[in-house]
mmCIF file with all atom_site columns, all heavy atoms in Angstrom:
data_model
loop_
_atom_site.group_PDB
_atom_site.id
_atom_site.type_symbol
_atom_site.label_atom_id
_atom_site.label_alt_id
_atom_site.label_comp_id
_atom_site.label_asym_id
_atom_site.label_entity_id
_atom_site.label_seq_id
_atom_site.pdbx_PDB_ins_code
_atom_site.Cartn_x
_atom_site.Cartn_y
_atom_site.Cartn_z
_atom_site.occupancy
_atom_site.B_iso_or_equiv
_atom_site.pdbx_formal_charge
_atom_site.auth_seq_id
_atom_site.auth_comp_id
_atom_site.auth_asym_id
_atom_site.auth_atom_id
_atom_site.pdbx_PDB_model_num
ATOM 1   N N   . VAL A 1 73 ? 8.992  -6.672  -24.853 1.00 92.00 ? 73 VAL A N   1
ATOM 2   C CA  . VAL A 1 73 ? 8.666  -5.347  -24.347 1.00 92.00 ? 73 VAL A CA  1
ATOM 3   C C   . VAL A 1 73 ? 7.147  -5.286  -24.319 1.00 92.00 ? 73 VAL A C   1
ATOM 4   O O   . VAL A 1 73 ? 6.475  -5.540  -25.317 1.00 92.00 ? 73 VAL A O   1
ATOM 5   C CB  . VAL A 1 73 ? 9.247  -4.228  -25.228 1.00 92.00 ? 73 VAL A CB  1
ATOM 6   C CG1 . VAL A 1 73 ? 8.841  -2.874  -24.691 1.00 92.00 ? 73 VAL A CG1 1
ATOM 7   C CG2 . VAL A 1 73 ? 10.745 -4.349  -25.316 1.00 92.00 ? 73 VAL A CG2 1
ATOM 8   N N   . VAL A 1 74 ? 6.580  -4.945  -23.140 1.00 91.00 ? 74 VAL A N   1
ATOM 9   C CA  . VAL A 1 74 ? 5.140  -4.969  -22.932 1.00 91.00 ? 74 VAL A CA  1
ATOM 10  C C   . VAL A 1 74 ? 4.701  -3.627  -22.368 1.00 91.00 ? 74 VAL A C   1
ATOM 11  O O   . VAL A 1 74 ? 5.350  -3.071  -21.487 1.00 91.00 ? 74 VAL A O   1
ATOM 12  C CB  . VAL A 1 74 ? 4.781  -6.097  -21.939 1.00 91.00 ? 74 VAL A CB  1
ATOM 13  C CG1 . VAL A 1 74 ? 3.275  -6.159  -21.728 1.00 91.00 ? 74 VAL A CG1 1
ATOM 14  C CG2 . VAL A 1 74 ? 5.322  -7.433  -22.418 1.00 91.00 ? 74 VAL A CG2 1
ATOM 15  N N   . TRP A 1 75 ? 3.577  -3.099  -22.889 1.00 90.00 ? 75 TRP A N   1
ATOM 16  C CA  . TRP A 1 75 ? 3.032  -1.855  -22.378 1.00 90.00 ? 75 TRP A CA  1
ATOM 17  C C   . TRP A 1 75 ? 1.531  -1.842  -22.595 1.00 90.00 ? 75 TRP A C   1
ATOM 18  O O   . TRP A 1 75 ? 1.025  -2.528  -23.481 1.00 90.00 ? 75 TRP A O   1
ATOM 19  C CB  . TRP A 1 75 ? 3.692  -0.631  -23.018 1.00 90.00 ? 75 TRP A CB  1
ATOM 20  C CG  . TRP A 1 75 ? 3.435  -0.474  -24.484 1.00 90.00 ? 75 TRP A CG  1
ATOM 21  C CD1 . TRP A 1 75 ? 2.465  0.265   -25.085 1.00 90.00 ? 75 TRP A CD1 1
ATOM 22  C CD2 . TRP A 1 75 ? 4.151  -1.087  -25.559 1.00 90.00 ? 75 TRP A CD2 1
ATOM 23  N NE1 . TRP A 1 75 ? 2.555  0.160   -26.446 1.00 90.00 ? 75 TRP A NE1 1
ATOM 24  C CE2 . TRP A 1 75 ? 3.580  -0.665  -26.757 1.00 90.00 ? 75 TRP A CE2 1
ATOM 25  C CE3 . TRP A 1 75 ? 5.249  -1.956  -25.634 1.00 90.00 ? 75 TRP A CE3 1
ATOM 26  C CZ2 . TRP A 1 75 ? 4.039  -1.081  -28.013 1.00 90.00 ? 75 TRP A CZ2 1
ATOM 27  C CZ3 . TRP A 1 75 ? 5.697  -2.366  -26.848 1.00 90.00 ? 75 TRP A CZ3 1
ATOM 28  C CH2 . TRP A 1 75 ? 5.113  -1.932  -28.037 1.00 90.00 ? 75 TRP A CH2 1
ATOM 29  N N   . PRO A 1 76 ? 0.786  -1.092  -21.741 1.00 89.00 ? 76 PRO A N   1
ATOM 30  C CA  . PRO A 1 76 ? -0.658 -0.980  -21.943 1.00 89.00 ? 76 PRO A CA  1
ATOM 31  C C   . PRO A 1 76 ? -0.954 -0.346  -23.290 1.00 89.00 ? 76 PRO A C   1
ATOM 32  O O   . PRO A 1 76 ? -0.304 0.622   -23.687 1.00 89.00 ? 76 PRO A O   1
ATOM 33  C CB  . PRO A 1 76 ? -1.127 -0.088  -20.806 1.00 89.00 ? 76 PRO A CB  1
ATOM 34  C CG  . PRO A 1 76 ? -0.040 -0.103  -19.807 1.00 89.00 ? 76 PRO A CG  1
ATOM 35  C CD  . PRO A 1 76 ? 1.216  -0.363  -20.552 1.00 89.00 ? 76 PRO A CD  1
ATOM 36  N N   . GLN A 1 77 ? -1.945 -0.901  -23.994 1.00 85.00 ? 77 GLN A N   1
ATOM 37  C CA  . GLN A 1 77 ? -2.196 -0.435  -25.347 1.00 85.00 ? 77 GLN A CA  1
ATOM 38  C C   . GLN A 1 77 ? -2.795 0.970   -25.377 1.00 85.00 ? 77 GLN A C   1
ATOM 39  O O   . GLN A 1 77 ? -2.488 1.740   -26.278 1.00 85.00 ? 77 GLN A O   1
ATOM 40  C CB  . GLN A 1 77 ? -3.162 -1.400  -26.039 1.00 85.00 ? 77 GLN A CB  1
ATOM 41  C CG  . GLN A 1 77 ? -3.307 -1.128  -27.518 1.00 85.00 ? 77 GLN A CG  1
ATOM 42  C CD  . GLN A 1 77 ? -4.084 -2.213  -28.228 1.00 85.00 ? 77 GLN A CD  1
ATOM 43  O OE1 . GLN A 1 77 ? -4.737 -3.022  -27.587 1.00 85.00 ? 77 GLN A OE1 1
ATOM 44  N NE2 . GLN A 1 77 ? -4.041 -2.219  -29.520 1.00 85.00 ? 77 GLN A NE2 1
ATOM 45  N N   . TYR A 1 78 ? -3.619 1.318   -24.407 1.00 83.00 ? 78 TYR A N   1
ATOM 46  C CA  . TYR A 1 78 ? -4.279 2.630   -24.428 1.00 83.00 ? 78 TYR A CA  1
ATOM 47  C C   . TYR A 1 78 ? -3.745 3.529   -23.335 1.00 83.00 ? 78 TYR A C   1
ATOM 48  O O   . TYR A 1 78 ? -3.629 3.136   -22.177 1.00 83.00 ? 78 TYR A O   1
ATOM 49  C CB  . TYR A 1 78 ? -5.786 2.454   -24.261 1.00 83.00 ? 78 TYR A CB  1
ATOM 50  C CG  . TYR A 1 78 ? -6.370 1.582   -25.325 1.00 83.00 ? 78 TYR A CG  1
ATOM 51  C CD1 . TYR A 1 78 ? -6.816 0.294   -25.021 1.00 83.00 ? 78 TYR A CD1 1
ATOM 52  C CD2 . TYR A 1 78 ? -6.461 1.991   -26.642 1.00 83.00 ? 78 TYR A CD2 1
ATOM 53  C CE1 . TYR A 1 78 ? -7.337 -0.536  -25.986 1.00 83.00 ? 78 TYR A CE1 1
ATOM 54  C CE2 . TYR A 1 78 ? -6.971 1.184   -27.626 1.00 83.00 ? 78 TYR A CE2 1
ATOM 55  C CZ  . TYR A 1 78 ? -7.408 -0.094  -27.290 1.00 83.00 ? 78 TYR A CZ  1
ATOM 56  O OH  . TYR A 1 78 ? -7.911 -0.892  -28.273 1.00 83.00 ? 78 TYR A OH  1
ATOM 57  N N   . GLY A 1 79 ? -3.429 4.747   -23.683 1.00 74.00 ? 79 GLY A N   1
ATOM 58  C CA  . GLY A 1 79 ? -3.001 5.750   -22.704 1.00 74.00 ? 79 GLY A CA  1
ATOM 59  C C   . GLY A 1 79 ? -1.643 5.484   -22.102 1.00 74.00 ? 79 GLY A C   1
ATOM 60  O O   . GLY A 1 79 ? -1.392 5.920   -20.978 1.00 74.00 ? 79 GLY A O   1
ATOM 61  N N   . ALA A 1 80 ? -0.783 4.846   -22.812 1.00 70.00 ? 80 ALA A N   1
ATOM 62  C CA  . ALA A 1 80 ? 0.553  4.499   -22.260 1.00 70.00 ? 80 ALA A CA  1
ATOM 63  C C   . ALA A 1 80 ? 1.628  5.351   -22.904 1.00 70.00 ? 80 ALA A C   1
ATOM 64  O O   . ALA A 1 80 ? 1.585  5.618   -24.103 1.00 70.00 ? 80 ALA A O   1
ATOM 65  C CB  . ALA A 1 80 ? 0.844  3.037   -22.485 1.00 70.00 ? 80 ALA A CB  1
ATOM 66  N N   . GLY A 1 81 ? 2.566  5.734   -22.110 1.00 76.00 ? 81 GLY A N   1
ATOM 67  C CA  . GLY A 1 81 ? 3.730  6.461   -22.599 1.00 76.00 ? 81 GLY A CA  1
ATOM 68  C C   . GLY A 1 81 ? 4.954  5.568   -22.596 1.00 76.00 ? 81 GLY A C   1
ATOM 69  O O   . GLY A 1 81 ? 4.896  4.384   -22.231 1.00 76.00 ? 81 GLY A O   1
ATOM 70  N N   . VAL A 1 82 ? 6.072  6.139   -22.952 1.00 78.00 ? 82 VAL A N   1
ATOM 71  C CA  . VAL A 1 82 ? 7.332  5.394   -22.971 1.00 78.00 ? 82 VAL A CA  1
ATOM 72  C C   . VAL A 1 82 ? 7.685  4.879   -21.578 1.00 78.00 ? 82 VAL A C   1
ATOM 73  O O   . VAL A 1 82 ? 8.224  3.772   -21.428 1.00 78.00 ? 82 VAL A O   1
ATOM 74  C CB  . VAL A 1 82 ? 8.450  6.273   -23.555 1.00 78.00 ? 82 VAL A CB  1
ATOM 75  C CG1 . VAL A 1 82 ? 9.790  5.575   -23.470 1.00 78.00 ? 82 VAL A CG1 1
ATOM 76  C CG2 . VAL A 1 82 ? 8.141  6.688   -24.970 1.00 78.00 ? 82 VAL A CG2 1
ATOM 77  N N   . GLU A 1 83 ? 7.362  5.640   -20.549 1.00 83.00 ? 83 GLU A N   1
ATOM 78  C CA  . GLU A 1 83 ? 7.730  5.224   -19.167 1.00 83.00 ? 83 GLU A CA  1
ATOM 79  C C   . GLU A 1 83 ? 6.909  4.027   -18.700 1.00 83.00 ? 83 GLU A C   1
ATOM 80  O O   . GLU A 1 83 ? 7.246  3.437   -17.672 1.00 83.00 ? 83 GLU A O   1
ATOM 81  C CB  . GLU A 1 83 ? 7.563  6.402   -18.216 1.00 83.00 ? 83 GLU A CB  1
ATOM 82  C CG  . GLU A 1 83 ? 6.147  6.900   -18.048 1.00 83.00 ? 83 GLU A CG  1
ATOM 83  C CD  . GLU A 1 83 ? 5.693  7.898   -19.127 1.00 83.00 ? 83 GLU A CD  1
ATOM 84  O OE1 . GLU A 1 83 ? 6.525  8.305   -19.951 1.00 83.00 ? 83 GLU A OE1 1
ATOM 85  O OE2 . GLU A 1 83 ? 4.503  8.249   -19.140 1.00 83.00 ? 83 GLU A OE2 1
ATOM 86  N N   . ASP A 1 84 ? 5.838  3.645   -19.411 1.00 84.00 ? 84 ASP A N   1
ATOM 87  C CA  . ASP A 1 84 ? 5.029  2.500   -19.012 1.00 84.00 ? 84 ASP A CA  1
ATOM 88  C C   . ASP A 1 84 ? 5.506  1.182   -19.617 1.00 84.00 ? 84 ASP A C   1
ATOM 89  O O   . ASP A 1 84 ? 4.938  0.132   -19.339 1.00 84.00 ? 84 ASP A O   1
ATOM 90  C CB  . ASP A 1 84 ? 3.563  2.724   -19.412 1.00 84.00 ? 84 ASP A CB  1
ATOM 91  C CG  . ASP A 1 84 ? 2.936  3.846   -18.605 1.00 84.00 ? 84 ASP A CG  1
ATOM 92  O OD1 . ASP A 1 84 ? 3.362  4.046   -17.463 1.00 84.00 ? 84 ASP A OD1 1
ATOM 93  O OD2 . ASP A 1 84 ? 2.047  4.514   -19.129 1.00 84.00 ? 84 ASP A OD2 1
ATOM 94  N N   . ARG A 1 85 ? 6.529  1.209   -20.444 1.00 88.00 ? 85 ARG A N   1
ATOM 95  C CA  . ARG A 1 85 ? 7.048  -0.025  -21.067 1.00 88.00 ? 85 ARG A CA  1
ATOM 96  C C   . ARG A 1 85 ? 7.810  -0.849  -20.036 1.00 88.00 ? 85 ARG A C   1
ATOM 97  O O   . ARG A 1 85 ? 8.529  -0.312  -19.212 1.00 88.00 ? 85 ARG A O   1
ATOM 98  C CB  . ARG A 1 85 ? 7.986  0.308   -22.211 1.00 88.00 ? 85 ARG A CB  1
ATOM 99  C CG  . ARG A 1 85 ? 7.314  0.911   -23.384 1.00 88.00 ? 85 ARG A CG  1
ATOM 100 C CD  . ARG A 1 85 ? 8.325  1.063   -24.489 1.00 88.00 ? 85 ARG A CD  1
ATOM 101 N NE  . ARG A 1 85 ? 7.822  2.015   -25.474 1.00 88.00 ? 85 ARG A NE  1
ATOM 102 C CZ  . ARG A 1 85 ? 8.562  2.518   -26.443 1.00 88.00 ? 85 ARG A CZ  1
ATOM 103 N NH1 . ARG A 1 85 ? 9.828  2.168   -26.554 1.00 88.00 ? 85 ARG A NH1 1
ATOM 104 N NH2 . ARG A 1 85 ? 8.035  3.357   -27.283 1.00 88.00 ? 85 ARG A NH2 1
ATOM 105 N N   . ARG A 1 86 ? 7.624  -2.143  -20.096 1.00 90.00 ? 86 ARG A N   1
ATOM 106 C CA  . ARG A 1 86 ? 8.350  -3.064  -19.221 1.00 90.00 ? 86 ARG A CA  1
ATOM 107 C C   . ARG A 1 86 ? 8.966  -4.152  -20.076 1.00 90.00 ? 86 ARG A C   1
ATOM 108 O O   . ARG A 1 86 ? 8.365  -4.645  -21.019 1.00 90.00 ? 86 ARG A O   1
ATOM 109 C CB  . ARG A 1 86 ? 7.406  -3.697  -18.181 1.00 90.00 ? 86 ARG A CB  1
ATOM 110 C CG  . ARG A 1 86 ? 6.793  -2.691  -17.235 1.00 90.00 ? 86 ARG A CG  1
ATOM 111 C CD  . ARG A 1 86 ? 7.848  -2.068  -16.320 1.00 90.00 ? 86 ARG A CD  1
ATOM 112 N NE  . ARG A 1 86 ? 7.306  -1.041  -15.494 1.00 90.00 ? 86 ARG A NE  1
ATOM 113 C CZ  . ARG A 1 86 ? 7.487  0.260   -15.710 1.00 90.00 ? 86 ARG A CZ  1
ATOM 114 N NH1 . ARG A 1 86 ? 8.165  0.681   -16.745 1.00 90.00 ? 86 ARG A NH1 1
ATOM 115 N NH2 . ARG A 1 86 ? 6.972  1.153   -14.898 1.00 90.00 ? 86 ARG A NH2 1
ATOM 116 N N   . HIS A 1 87 ? 10.173 -4.538  -19.702 1.00 92.00 ? 87 HIS A N   1
ATOM 117 C CA  . HIS A 1 87 ? 10.911 -5.574  -20.422 1.00 92.00 ? 87 HIS A CA  1
ATOM 118 C C   . HIS A 1 87 ? 10.823 -6.868  -19.619 1.00 92.00 ? 87 HIS A C   1
ATOM 119 O O   . HIS A 1 87 ? 11.268 -6.932  -18.471 1.00 92.00 ? 87 HIS A O   1
ATOM 120 C CB  . HIS A 1 87 ? 12.370 -5.146  -20.602 1.00 92.00 ? 87 HIS A CB  1
ATOM 121 C CG  . HIS A 1 87 ? 12.505 -3.934  -21.473 1.00 92.00 ? 87 HIS A CG  1
ATOM 122 N ND1 . HIS A 1 87 ? 12.963 -4.015  -22.770 1.00 92.00 ? 87 HIS A ND1 1
ATOM 123 C CD2 . HIS A 1 87 ? 12.230 -2.635  -21.249 1.00 92.00 ? 87 HIS A CD2 1
ATOM 124 C CE1 . HIS A 1 87 ? 12.960 -2.808  -23.298 1.00 92.00 ? 87 HIS A CE1 1
ATOM 125 N NE2 . HIS A 1 87 ? 12.516 -1.937  -22.381 1.00 92.00 ? 87 HIS A NE2 1
ATOM 126 N N   . TRP A 1 88 ? 10.243 -7.920  -20.236 1.00 92.00 ? 88 TRP A N   1
ATOM 127 C CA  . TRP A 1 88 ? 9.998  -9.190  -19.574 1.00 92.00 ? 88 TRP A CA  1
ATOM 128 C C   . TRP A 1 88 ? 10.789 -10.295 -20.259 1.00 92.00 ? 88 TRP A C   1
ATOM 129 O O   . TRP A 1 88 ? 10.963 -10.266 -21.468 1.00 92.00 ? 88 TRP A O   1
ATOM 130 C CB  . TRP A 1 88 ? 8.522  -9.575  -19.690 1.00 92.00 ? 88 TRP A CB  1
ATOM 131 C CG  . TRP A 1 88 ? 7.537  -8.765  -18.920 1.00 92.00 ? 88 TRP A CG  1
ATOM 132 C CD1 . TRP A 1 88 ? 7.185  -7.466  -19.157 1.00 92.00 ? 88 TRP A CD1 1
ATOM 133 C CD2 . TRP A 1 88 ? 6.769  -9.208  -17.831 1.00 92.00 ? 88 TRP A CD2 1
ATOM 134 N NE1 . TRP A 1 88 ? 6.215  -7.101  -18.254 1.00 92.00 ? 88 TRP A NE1 1
ATOM 135 C CE2 . TRP A 1 88 ? 5.957  -8.129  -17.432 1.00 92.00 ? 88 TRP A CE2 1
ATOM 136 C CE3 . TRP A 1 88 ? 6.672  -10.408 -17.131 1.00 92.00 ? 88 TRP A CE3 1
ATOM 137 C CZ2 . TRP A 1 88 ? 5.043  -8.232  -16.378 1.00 92.00 ? 88 TRP A CZ2 1
ATOM 138 C CZ3 . TRP A 1 88 ? 5.782  -10.500 -16.087 1.00 92.00 ? 88 TRP A CZ3 1
ATOM 139 C CH2 . TRP A 1 88 ? 4.979  -9.416  -15.718 1.00 92.00 ? 88 TRP A CH2 1
ATOM 140 N N   . HIS A 1 89 ? 11.205 -11.304 -19.482 1.00 92.00 ? 89 HIS A N   1
ATOM 141 C CA  . HIS A 1 89 ? 11.647 -12.560 -20.077 1.00 92.00 ? 89 HIS A CA  1
ATOM 142 C C   . HIS A 1 89 ? 10.382 -13.175 -20.696 1.00 92.00 ? 89 HIS A C   1
ATOM 143 O O   . HIS A 1 89 ? 9.272  -13.029 -20.162 1.00 92.00 ? 89 HIS A O   1
ATOM 144 C CB  . HIS A 1 89 ? 12.165 -13.542 -19.024 1.00 92.00 ? 89 HIS A CB  1
ATOM 145 C CG  . HIS A 1 89 ? 13.451 -13.119 -18.393 1.00 92.00 ? 89 HIS A CG  1
ATOM 146 N ND1 . HIS A 1 89 ? 13.481 -12.652 -17.099 1.00 92.00 ? 89 HIS A ND1 1
ATOM 147 C CD2 . HIS A 1 89 ? 14.705 -13.085 -18.857 1.00 92.00 ? 89 HIS A CD2 1
ATOM 148 C CE1 . HIS A 1 89 ? 14.738 -12.375 -16.789 1.00 92.00 ? 89 HIS A CE1 1
ATOM 149 N NE2 . HIS A 1 89 ? 15.498 -12.619 -17.838 1.00 92.00 ? 89 HIS A NE2 1
ATOM 150 N N   . LYS A 1 90 ? 10.542 -13.882 -21.789 1.00 91.00 ? 90 LYS A N   1
ATOM 151 C CA  . LYS A 1 90 ? 9.381  -14.493 -22.432 1.00 91.00 ? 90 LYS A CA  1
ATOM 152 C C   . LYS A 1 90 ? 8.681  -15.483 -21.500 1.00 91.00 ? 90 LYS A C   1
ATOM 153 O O   . LYS A 1 90 ? 7.472  -15.511 -21.394 1.00 91.00 ? 90 LYS A O   1
ATOM 154 C CB  . LYS A 1 90 ? 9.771  -15.175 -23.736 1.00 91.00 ? 90 LYS A CB  1
ATOM 155 C CG  . LYS A 1 90 ? 8.588  -15.692 -24.504 1.00 91.00 ? 90 LYS A CG  1
ATOM 156 C CD  . LYS A 1 90 ? 8.957  -16.229 -25.853 1.00 91.00 ? 90 LYS A CD  1
ATOM 157 C CE  . LYS A 1 90 ? 7.700  -16.717 -26.542 1.00 91.00 ? 90 LYS A CE  1
ATOM 158 N NZ  . LYS A 1 90 ? 7.988  -17.275 -27.829 1.00 91.00 ? 90 LYS A NZ  1
ATOM 159 N N   . SER A 1 91 ? 9.461  -16.294 -20.799 1.00 91.00 ? 91 SER A N   1
ATOM 160 C CA  . SER A 1 91 ? 8.858  -17.291 -19.884 1.00 91.00 ? 91 SER A CA  1
ATOM 161 C C   . SER A 1 91 ? 8.145  -16.620 -18.726 1.00 91.00 ? 91 SER A C   1
ATOM 162 O O   . SER A 1 91 ? 7.117  -17.102 -18.262 1.00 91.00 ? 91 SER A O   1
ATOM 163 C CB  . SER A 1 91 ? 9.929  -18.259 -19.377 1.00 91.00 ? 91 SER A CB  1
ATOM 164 O OG  . SER A 1 91 ? 10.936 -17.556 -18.739 1.00 91.00 ? 91 SER A OG  1
ATOM 165 N N   . CYS A 1 92 ? 8.671  -15.504 -18.242 1.00 91.00 ? 92 CYS A N   1
ATOM 166 C CA  . CYS A 1 92 ? 8.019  -14.778 -17.163 1.00 91.00 ? 92 CYS A CA  1
ATOM 167 C C   . CYS A 1 92 ? 6.680  -14.164 -17.613 1.00 91.00 ? 92 CYS A C   1
ATOM 168 O O   . CYS A 1 92 ? 5.713  -14.180 -16.881 1.00 91.00 ? 92 CYS A O   1
ATOM 169 C CB  . CYS A 1 92 ? 8.922  -13.661 -16.630 1.00 91.00 ? 92 CYS A CB  1
ATOM 170 S SG  . CYS A 1 92 ? 10.398 -14.286 -15.819 1.00 91.00 ? 92 CYS A SG  1
ATOM 171 N N   . TRP A 1 93 ? 6.652  -13.639 -18.838 1.00 90.00 ? 93 TRP A N   1
ATOM 172 C CA  . TRP A 1 93 ? 5.406  -13.088 -19.374 1.00 90.00 ? 93 TRP A CA  1
ATOM 173 C C   . TRP A 1 93 ? 4.372  -14.198 -19.527 1.00 90.00 ? 93 TRP A C   1
ATOM 174 O O   . TRP A 1 93 ? 3.202  -14.010 -19.228 1.00 90.00 ? 93 TRP A O   1
ATOM 175 C CB  . TRP A 1 93 ? 5.648  -12.383 -20.702 1.00 90.00 ? 93 TRP A CB  1
ATOM 176 C CG  . TRP A 1 93 ? 4.402  -11.860 -21.341 1.00 90.00 ? 93 TRP A CG  1
ATOM 177 C CD1 . TRP A 1 93 ? 3.774  -12.380 -22.446 1.00 90.00 ? 93 TRP A CD1 1
ATOM 178 C CD2 . TRP A 1 93 ? 3.584  -10.766 -20.909 1.00 90.00 ? 93 TRP A CD2 1
ATOM 179 N NE1 . TRP A 1 93 ? 2.656  -11.645 -22.717 1.00 90.00 ? 93 TRP A NE1 1
ATOM 180 C CE2 . TRP A 1 93 ? 2.499  -10.657 -21.798 1.00 90.00 ? 93 TRP A CE2 1
ATOM 181 C CE3 . TRP A 1 93 ? 3.684  -9.870  -19.836 1.00 90.00 ? 93 TRP A CE3 1
ATOM 182 C CZ2 . TRP A 1 93 ? 1.522  -9.682  -21.660 1.00 90.00 ? 93 TRP A CZ2 1
ATOM 183 C CZ3 . TRP A 1 93 ? 2.686  -8.883  -19.713 1.00 90.00 ? 93 TRP A CZ3 1
ATOM 184 C CH2 . TRP A 1 93 ? 1.637  -8.817  -20.623 1.00 90.00 ? 93 TRP A CH2 1
ATOM 185 N N   . ASN A 1 94 ? 4.793  -15.366 -19.993 1.00 89.00 ? 94 ASN A N   1
ATOM 186 C CA  . ASN A 1 94 ? 3.869  -16.494 -20.152 1.00 89.00 ? 94 ASN A CA  1
ATOM 187 C C   . ASN A 1 94 ? 3.349  -16.992 -18.816 1.00 89.00 ? 94 ASN A C   1
ATOM 188 O O   . ASN A 1 94 ? 2.272  -17.525 -18.733 1.00 89.00 ? 94 ASN A O   1
ATOM 189 C CB  . ASN A 1 94 ? 4.530  -17.626 -20.927 1.00 89.00 ? 94 ASN A CB  1
ATOM 190 C CG  . ASN A 1 94 ? 4.779  -17.256 -22.367 1.00 89.00 ? 94 ASN A CG  1
ATOM 191 O OD1 . ASN A 1 94 ? 4.128  -16.359 -22.915 1.00 89.00 ? 94 ASN A OD1 1
ATOM 192 N ND2 . ASN A 1 94 ? 5.733  -17.913 -22.993 1.00 89.00 ? 94 ASN A ND2 1
ATOM 193 N N   . ALA A 1 95 ? 4.124  -16.809 -17.740 1.00 88.00 ? 95 ALA A N   1
ATOM 194 C CA  . ALA A 1 95 ? 3.737  -17.278 -16.399 1.00 88.00 ? 95 ALA A CA  1
ATOM 195 C C   . ALA A 1 95 ? 3.256  -16.126 -15.514 1.00 88.00 ? 95 ALA A C   1
ATOM 196 O O   . ALA A 1 95 ? 3.202  -16.271 -14.292 1.00 88.00 ? 95 ALA A O   1
ATOM 197 C CB  . ALA A 1 95 ? 4.949  -17.960 -15.747 1.00 88.00 ? 95 ALA A CB  1
ATOM 198 N N   . ARG A 1 96 ? 2.854  -15.018 -16.094 1.00 84.00 ? 96 ARG A N   1
ATOM 199 C CA  . ARG A 1 96 ? 2.525  -13.825 -15.328 1.00 84.00 ? 96 ARG A CA  1
ATOM 200 C C   . ARG A 1 96 ? 1.356  -14.027 -14.353 1.00 84.00 ? 96 ARG A C   1
ATOM 201 O O   . ARG A 1 96 ? 1.273  -13.370 -13.336 1.00 84.00 ? 96 ARG A O   1
ATOM 202 C CB  . ARG A 1 96 ? 2.260  -12.641 -16.251 1.00 84.00 ? 96 ARG A CB  1
ATOM 203 C CG  . ARG A 1 96 ? 1.080  -12.852 -17.169 1.00 84.00 ? 96 ARG A CG  1
ATOM 204 C CD  . ARG A 1 96 ? 1.057  -11.808 -18.272 1.00 84.00 ? 96 ARG A CD  1
ATOM 205 N NE  . ARG A 1 96 ? -0.013 -12.012 -19.205 1.00 84.00 ? 96 ARG A NE  1
ATOM 206 C CZ  . ARG A 1 96 ? 0.054  -12.754 -20.311 1.00 84.00 ? 96 ARG A CZ  1
ATOM 207 N NH1 . ARG A 1 96 ? 1.191  -13.352 -20.601 1.00 84.00 ? 96 ARG A NH1 1
ATOM 208 N NH2 . ARG A 1 96 ? -0.963 -12.904 -21.108 1.00 84.00 ? 96 ARG A NH2 1
#
Side-chain angles (χ1 to χ4, degrees):
V73 178
V74 181
W75 66 95
Q77 189 172 15
Y78 302 108
V82 175
E83 64 276 354
D84 293 330
R85 292 185 198 169
R86 297 292 175 256
H87 295 255
W88 291 70
H89 293 107
K90 185 174 181 181
S91 58
C92 293
W93 176 252
N94 291 338
R96 63 193 177 270

